[in-house]
Amino acid sequence: MSDTILKTEGLRFSYQEETIPAPVVLDGVDLEIQAGSFVAVLGHNGSGKSTLAKHLNAILLPTGGKVYVDGIDTADEDRLLDIRRTIGMVFQNPDNQIVANVVEEDVAFAPENLGVPPEEIRRRVDDALKAVGMYEYREHAPHLLSGGQKQRIAIAGVIAMQPRCIVLDEPTAMLDPIGRSEVLKTIKELNRASGVTVVLITHHMDEAAQADRLVVMAKGKVVADGTPKDVFQRVEELRAVGLTVPETTQLLWELRQAGVDVPLDALSDQECAAVLAGLLNKDVTPA
């Protein structure tokens, strides 16, 4: 079996309109995502990133090109259940995914619909809630939880299906900074401890910086693809498509513009602080 779990070939998509020409939302997207990786897809509103996400488990089907999930063509209607078992989806608003009045019942909902035996459901629900740090809330009412807690419950419901990959479409967009931090920590732990492939759709630079690979989209195309350290050094290119860079990169870039010889790949606060401390320990003269 190939270690490529998701692949798009010349993916094109237009929302079909009866009265006006349909604008192209995805315009020839070629991507391969390896099993076990953590990939962030970054882009402005209207870049096509959320439309791409909906293609990755056949919520939408291409109007041109192909999408393959673990080698399965998403256009194959007979394999739709296999696709949905392989790729789980988490959306912006957790309230749209929570269907029960008790946390553990909500997490059990999808496995029950997949015909999983009751004793296996019990194990999966407990394991999923522990994986997102919400086991102690298993008997709580979801509507009484915070936004970050609700989103972790939504993620647990997907984990209980035991997918090989989880696609998260701007899961922190409606959360406060604490909720965002909770969800990002959960995503990273899930990827690193359990080997689940993660595709994170986001417009937050700091979230994108935590992935292993960063794909930047603009006007339905992939305009950059590489490690966050590599991609964020392309400050002018990102600005040209309406995106900024993390504050650490921005600071170092401005120092460079002033003639100070500093690297641009110090993404974290700690790395940036180390660079600045090094400058203070030597005589820095702008060129």
Side-chain angles (χ1 to χ4, degrees):
M1 182 181 293
S2 169
D3 62 355
T4 298
I5 191 165
L6 288 169
K7 183 176 183 179
T8 70
E9 294 180 344
L11 171 59
R12 290 177 59 84
F13 182 78
S14 299
Y15 288 99
Q16 300 303 310
E17 302 283 350
E18 294 183 2
T19 58
I20 59 174
V24 176
V25 183
L26 296 175
D27 189 9
V29 175
D30 293 308
L31 275 179
E32 283 195 37
I33 294 175
Q34 306 305 308
S37 61
F38 178 9
V39 180
V41 180
L42 178 68
H44 244 322
N45 289 338
S47 64
K49 62 187 188 300
S50 288
T51 302
L52 173 65
K54 292 179 175 67
H55 277 80
L56 299 183
N57 81 335
I59 293 174
L60 294 175
L61 297 177
T63 52
K66 290 290 184 180
V67 178
Y68 297 97
V69 171
D70 202 19
I72 304 170
D73 186 341
T74 58
D76 185 349
E77 294 182 5
D78 294 335
R79 302 295 302 277
L80 184 58
L81 187 57
D82 292 328
I83 291 167
R84 299 278 169 82
R85 281 176 168 157
T86 303
I87 310 293
M89 291 285 296
V90 177
F91 298 98
Q92 281 188 23
N93 190 344
D95 289 326
N96 292 340
Q97 287 190 262
I98 293 175
V99 297
N101 294 321
V102 178
V103 164
E104 62 182 6
E105 292 176 3
D106 185 80
V107 178
F109 180 78
E112 285 175 349
N113 280 280
L114 291 175
V116 177
E119 62 277 8
E120 173 67 7
I121 291 175
R122 178 74 267 168
R123 186 188 65 78
R124 288 194 190 188
V125 168
D126 290 347
D127 288 350
L129 287 171
K130 289 174 183 176
V132 301
M134 292 295 291
Y135 182 72
E136 64 185 282
Y137 294 91
R138 62 192 180 278
E139 295 181 353
H140 283 53
H143 72 275
L144 297 178
L145 302 177
S146 70
Q149 289 171 327
K150 287 180 182 178
Q151 194 61 286
R152 283 190 283 161
I153 294 302
I155 293 171
V158 173
I159 293 173
M161 297 171 64
Q162 296 188 343
R164 293 181 56 212
C165 174
I166 296 181
V167 177
L168 303 105
D169 186 9
E170 302 210 52
T172 67
M174 303 180 67
L175 305 182
D176 60 22
I178 293 174
R180 284 182 58 205
S181 177
E182 291 174 348
V183 171
L184 259 292
K185 181 180 178 182
T186 298
I187 293 168
K188 290 165 65 178
E189 182 66 19
L190 186 62
N191 171 249
R192 286 165 192 175
S194 304
V196 175
T197 308
V198 171
V199 180
L200 173 64
I201 311 296
T202 184
H203 63 266
H204 291 295
M205 305 296 146
D206 57 333
E207 294 180 3
Q210 297 182 54
D212 301 321
R213 176 184 171 195
L214 176 55
V215 175
V216 179
M217 295 191 66
K219 297 181 179 179
K221 296 178 180 289
V222 173
V223 297
D225 186 352
T227 66
K229 284 181 180 289
D230 290 338
V231 171
F232 281 132
Q233 292 186 59
R234 297 157 66 171
V235 177
E236 292 89 347
E237 292 179 50
L238 293 175
R239 282 183 170 177
V241 295
L243 294 172
T244 58
V245 295
E247 292 180 354
T248 50
T249 305
Q250 179 66 28
L251 173 60
L252 295 172
W253 183 80
E254 290 178 2
L255 285 171
R256 225 188 229 197
Q257 296 303 106
V260 181
D261 184 17
V262 291
L264 291 181
D265 62 353
L267 274 183
S268 71
D269 292 345
Q270 294 81 2
E271 291 171 329
C272 185
V275 169
L276 298 178
L279 291 177
L280 294 174
N281 291 331
K282 64 181 180 180
D283 182 23
V284 180
T285 304

